[in-house]
Amino acid sequence: GAGVSQSPSNKVTEKGKDVELRCDPISGHTALYWYRQSLGQGLEFLIYFQGNSAPDKSGLPSDRFSAERTGGSVSTLTIQRTQQEDSAVYLCASSPSGSGGYTFGSGTRLTVV
Amino acid sequence: QKEVEQNSGPLSVPEGAIASLNCTYSDRGSQSFFWYRQYSGKSPELIMFIYSNGDKEDGRFTAQLNKASQYVSLLIRDSQPSDSATYLCAVEAGGTSYGKLTFGQGTILTVHP
C-alpha cells in the first residue's frame, strides 16, 4: 500500500483480556518495527522484523507480549492478559532496508480499563 | 542518564525566526541520527537524517552533527506556525545495522504569529 496501515485505530479493552494489533507495512519494505508511546514517555522500541524473522525482540516488556510477521508483510502484535500499564499508542513502522529512516503508521491507541 | 536527551521545552519562537533544537546522546558508537516531527495526535514523520559530522541542509531545515561532542541539532529557518509540533531526536544504536532507534523525549516547538 501507499503507507503503513494499522488497525484498529482505537481499542478499549477490559483488564485481563487479550488484544491483537495489526500492521500492514509499505509494500516491499523488508524491515518492520513496533514501538510504544505512553503519555509523557518517549517512543519505546518493542521488536524488529526482517522478513518473517525477529532478530531483536529485546524491547518486549514481558512474556505477555508477542508478535509475528507472515509472508514478509503483515505483522500482528498480541498482548495477553492486558494490564492498565499496557495503555499506550502502539506504533508500527517500516523501512526498505533496515535503516532508521522509517515511515510510521497512524498507530493504535490502546486503553485498558 | 538518559541515552538520548532533549530539552522538553516548550520552545517558543516568533514567526520568521530561527528555531534551534538540540539533542545529546550517550552511545559513542552511534552512527546515524534522525529528526522526526510529530504533530499533536499524529504519528512521527521523518524530516531529516544525518550520518557525517558537519551540516546537512534540506530546504528550511539544517541538521548539525558533532560526534566528538555527541551532539546533534536541528535548525529551522524562517519558522512558520505550521512548524509547531514536537520534534523527536532519534539515534541508531551503536553496533546494530538494522535501524533500531532510541528516541529522545521530544522538544515541543511553538511558532507564534
Side-chain angles (χ1 to χ4, degrees):
Chain A
V4 178
S5 178
Q6 290 189 246
S7 62
S9 55
N10 279 285
K11 176 72 176 179
V12 180
T13 190
E14 292 181 352
K15 178 181 173 182
K17 301 278 190 176
D18 298 351
V19 295
E20 283 191 355
L21 312 180
R22 175 188 167 103
C23 173
D24 196 348
I26 292 172
S27 179
H29 280 195
T30 59
L32 185 148
Y33 310 82
W34 284 97
Y35 283 79
R36 178 168 75 172
Q37 189 171 33
S38 306
L39 191 64
Q41 301 292 318
L43 275 85
E44 174 189 11
F45 169 82
L46 297 178
I47 188 169
Y48 155 70
F49 285 94
Q50 180 61 249
N52 290 337
S53 64
D56 188 348
K57 53 180 78 172
S58 62
L60 295 178
S62 73
D63 58 8
R64 297 187 294 105
F65 288 72
S66 63
E68 65 174 10
R69 188 179 185 192
T70 55
S73 180
V74 172
S75 176
T76 302
L77 177 68
T78 301
I79 309 172
Q80 296 179 309
R81 305 181 304 281
T82 51
Q83 303 295 311
Q84 288 186 329
E85 62 262 28
D86 300 334
S87 297
V89 176
Y90 289 80
L91 290 161
C92 175
S94 69
S95 77
S97 58
S99 75
Y102 305 156
T103 300
F104 279 93
S106 56
T108 294
R109 181 176 298 278
L110 175 67
T111 304
V112 181
V113 297
Chain B
Q1 181 188 6
K2 293 181 181 175
E3 294 181 49
V4 179
E5 293 209 44
Q6 297 181 253
N7 187 328
S8 61
L11 174 65
S12 181
V13 301
E15 185 174 356
I18 296 174
S20 178
L21 305 162
N22 305 314
C23 173
T24 58
Y25 59 95
S26 60
D27 183 352
R28 196 168 277 280
S30 300
Q31 297 294 326
S32 304
F33 307 86
F34 303 84
W35 284 98
Y36 284 82
R37 178 176 63 198
Q38 186 172 26
Y39 291 113
S40 181
K42 302 295 186 182
S43 59
E45 58 178 323
L46 179 68
I47 53 172
M48 288 285 290
F49 61 88
I50 187 167
Y51 303 141
S52 303
N53 277 328
D55 294 0
K56 179 181 179 183
E57 186 174 320
D58 184 1
R60 295 187 296 111
F61 298 97
T62 299
Q64 299 175 316
L65 174 61
N66 183 327
K67 289 186 179 179
S69 300
Q70 295 175 247
Y71 176 91
V72 59
S73 65
L74 179 70
L75 301 178
I76 307 174
R77 289 182 300 283
D78 188 23
S79 295
Q80 300 298 309
S82 59
D83 295 326
S84 299
T86 298
Y87 288 80
L88 301 169
C89 173
V91 176
E92 186 163 338
T96 68
S97 60
Y98 54 82
K100 176 181 177 180
L101 295 181
T102 300
F103 284 84
Q105 298 275 30
T107 297
I108 299 170
L109 173 66
T110 301
V111 181
H112 53 85

